[in-house]
Amino acid sequence: HGEIAQSAGSFFAGLLYGASAGKARDSFRRAIELAPDNPAIRVEYAKVLLGMGKDYRADARAALLKASALPARNAFEGILEGQGRRLLKAMDQDDPSLKAALNAVTPFVR
């Protein structure tokens, strides 16, 4: 939902796929509820939130901070934790830095 809503825009995402930013947030919240100790879900959630715009930065930061406090249980989670740290660092810098970091960790969303 999140990537489609970002890529296609809210109108076409809803019309063609039934996707929306609200459904994306609800789905991620449910995933976090089911696997609260999984840092990968929180990092992916933060990426979607950051892609949706400045209004969601506080929620993205909270998700990234929580993810950084959780131990990676495998290599995949470790990679995503590294992406999360990169995004947090970029959030503390300027907007172009954040956009560049987000583009680097989400290569198929533009």
Side-chain angles (χ1 to χ4, degrees):
H1 286 280
E3 290 179 3
I4 291 171
Q6 289 173 44
S7 299
S10 61
F11 176 75
F12 287 113
L15 180 68
L16 300 174
Y17 302 101
S20 73
K23 287 180 183 178
R25 288 191 315 273
D26 291 344
S27 295
F28 272 109
R29 287 181 191 130
R30 179 70 177 134
I32 290 168
E33 219 175 82
L34 293 171
D37 296 332
N38 185 329
I41 296 169
R42 294 173 192 274
V43 172
E44 289 297 332
Y45 181 41
K47 288 189 220 178
V48 168
L49 291 171
L50 289 169
M52 290 192 309
K54 291 181 180 182
D55 293 343
Y56 300 97
R57 283 193 184 170
D59 291 338
R61 178 181 289 283
L64 291 170
L65 288 171
K66 180 65 177 175
S68 70
L70 297 170
R73 298 168 295 184
N74 55 51
F76 177 71
E77 289 180 2
I79 290 168
L80 286 175
E81 275 192 325
Q83 292 178 358
R85 285 190 300 276
R86 181 177 183 174
L87 290 170
L88 275 172
K89 182 178 179 184
M91 288 179 86
D92 293 334
Q93 297 173 0
D94 58 5
D95 282 352
S97 176
L98 177 57
K99 183 173 176 144
L102 185 59
N103 285 340
V105 300
T106 54
F108 301 110
V109 177
R110 300 275 184 243

